[in-house]
Amino acid sequence: MSVHSTHSRWNSSLKPAIYVKDGDTVELEVKEASDGQIRRNSDLNDVTNLDFSRIHPLTGPIFVEGAEPGDALKVEILDIHGEGWGWTAVIPGFGFLSKENDVPEGVNSQALKIWSSDEGYVSAKFGDIYVKVKEFPFPGVIGTGMRLNGVWSTIPPRENGGNMDVKQMTVSSRIYFPVFRKGALLSVGDTHLAQGDGEVCGSAVEAPTKVKLRVEVVKSRNLKSPVFVSKPREAEYDGDHITFMGFSNDLWNASLMVVKEAISFLSNFMEPVEAYMLLSTVMDLKVSQVVDVPNWTVSGFIPVSVFGNKGGEIMDAFEARER
């Protein structure tokens, strides 16, 4: 059975788009995050004119028969297919650096990158470099109906899941969601073809997709928030990674150090705003340690292989810079 009805706010009083049984497989038509406002042939005008009330069109709600408050809803992601393209954008006022003044000129200016998708990779030109990124498609937003009444923004993640942006929730993952409402009321949206941990510019490789899921009710699980099972992705990229590090007693500031340093370096090869978008799609921000008080360690890993035949030049420049 297929679902394509959408909504752009969490609202547990919405009429379900479809009713399914415990154990059913569901196919979803999922729009990209702008609800069709950004298209394969878009330019900056479409970013300028974005209607933010349409952001995050979610497919659903899906009513799962037998799901009751206190249960868990197991969602297995069976397949995700894109339509051959995606987009990444910097939208002024949004993103990790949006309130920062100490950044390279142009980082927070409006920008758009259209990616092509083929044979498991997305590609686009950054400066003079053709970047090729592995696809690991996943839903940026996926969650059950909220415990709270009323209408709520989809932007922050909550106890029901929602806009978690966890790239490891890809095909073959099994996600367990708390059920707060009769029928669970599952909704899915904001699908990405690729993303770096952190999604620092505020968007990943956003794309319309078809998603295939299996749903199962687990009785009396009483979860406080989602948990999930996924396969290791340590070998996501072969070869060397260049890594930037930040140290601070504040996690936010340590992360800022990493992102700013990485943009400063990559700006030798592309515009700063392009570097920002690239980091959002390929750099993995990791909390490397929390116990060596008073400072946190944050590391940002960038796979050199995404730069293709320019990878050697970038590696040489990185190592020369760090001596």
Side-chain angles (χ1 to χ4, degrees):
M1 53 190 71
S2 180
V3 187
H4 55 80
S5 179
T6 62
H7 57 98
S8 59
R9 297 289 185 275
W10 292 113
N11 182 351
S12 293
S13 67
L14 288 173
K15 181 180 177 181
I18 193 171
Y19 291 77
V20 303
K21 295 180 179 178
D22 182 6
D24 274 353
T25 296
V26 188
E27 294 185 356
L28 312 178
E29 295 180 21
V30 179
K31 297 179 178 180
E32 44 68 48
S34 78
D35 193 15
Q37 297 179 83
I38 297 178
R39 300 169 296 280
R40 193 193 299 253
N41 61 351
S42 281
D43 57 24
L44 269 182
N45 288 325
D46 290 323
V47 179
T48 302
N49 297 318
L50 276 178
D51 176 357
F52 283 88
S53 69
R54 293 170 57 185
I55 294 297
H56 282 171
L58 307 184
T59 301
I62 300 165
F63 186 103
V64 183
E65 294 179 9
E68 300 284 348
D71 295 340
L73 185 70
K74 175 185 174 182
V75 178
E76 184 176 2
I77 301 179
L78 302 176
D79 195 22
I80 302 178
H81 277 299
E83 297 182 2
W85 71 283
W87 62 267
T88 304
V90 174
I91 301 167
F94 189 65
F96 187 51
L97 301 180
S98 62
K99 294 179 171 57
E100 294 294 309
N101 296 318
D102 181 24
V103 293
E105 185 176 356
V107 160
N108 285 314
S109 59
Q110 191 167 267
L112 175 67
K113 189 72 65 176
I114 302 294
W115 302 77
S116 62
S117 167
D118 185 45
E119 296 184 349
Y121 287 85
V122 289
S123 57
K125 191 176 182 182
F126 288 74
D128 293 327
I129 303 172
Y130 285 94
V131 170
K132 193 173 182 180
V133 176
K134 285 187 179 181
E135 289 186 8
F136 288 94
F138 70 98
V141 179
I142 180 169
T144 48
M146 288 182 58
R147 184 198 307 269
L148 299 172
N149 293 326
V151 180
W152 299 85
S153 168
T154 60
I155 297 298
R158 299 184 176 88
E159 60 182 350
N160 68 317
N163 193 24
M164 297 177 286
D165 287 317
V166 179
K167 71 176 187 176
Q168 289 80 8
M169 288 182 179
T170 186
V171 175
S172 80
S173 295
R174 301 183 301 279
I175 314 165
Y176 295 80
F177 293 93
V179 174
F180 301 117
R181 298 282 179 158
K182 184 179 178 66
L185 304 179
L186 177 72
S187 293
V188 181
D190 186 35
T191 41
H192 302 161
L193 296 182
Q195 179 198 290
D197 278 330
E199 198 190 17
V200 292
C201 87
S203 59
V205 181
E206 313 287 337
T209 64
K210 288 183 170 58
V211 178
K212 190 174 183 180
L213 307 173
R214 182 183 294 117
V215 295
E216 181 181 334
V217 178
V218 182
K219 301 303 291 183
S220 304
R221 184 70 183 270
N222 292 309
L223 292 175
K224 292 182 171 58
S225 59
V227 296
F228 73 104
V229 179
S230 64
K231 292 183 179 179
R233 293 175 45 154
E234 297 304 320
E236 185 172 335
Y237 289 98
D238 295 329
D240 292 331
H241 289 58
I242 58 176
T243 305
F244 297 87
M245 305 187 76
F247 310 95
S248 174
N249 60 3
D250 181 280
L251 180 60
W252 183 273
N253 289 332
S255 301
L256 282 174
M257 290 174 63
V258 173
V259 175
K260 289 179 181 180
E261 281 294 304
I263 289 174
S264 177
F265 170 71
L266 289 175
S267 295
N268 294 303
F269 304 95
M270 61 192 70
E271 293 298 317
V273 71
E274 289 184 296
Y276 193 21
M277 289 189 286
L278 181 59
L279 295 178
S280 200
T281 58
V282 302
M283 183 179 75
D284 285 338
L285 275 178
K286 304 291 185 184
V287 179
S288 296
Q289 69 81 20
V290 298
V291 298
D292 298 330
V293 293
N295 288 341
W296 302 68
T297 301
V298 174
S299 306
F301 298 85
I302 305 170
V304 177
S305 61
V306 302
F307 300 109
N309 59 13
K310 288 279 190 178
E313 178 184 343
I314 288 173
M315 176 62 79
D316 288 344
F318 176 79
E319 293 195 299
R321 176 180 182 270
E322 298 304 314
R323 288 193 186 108

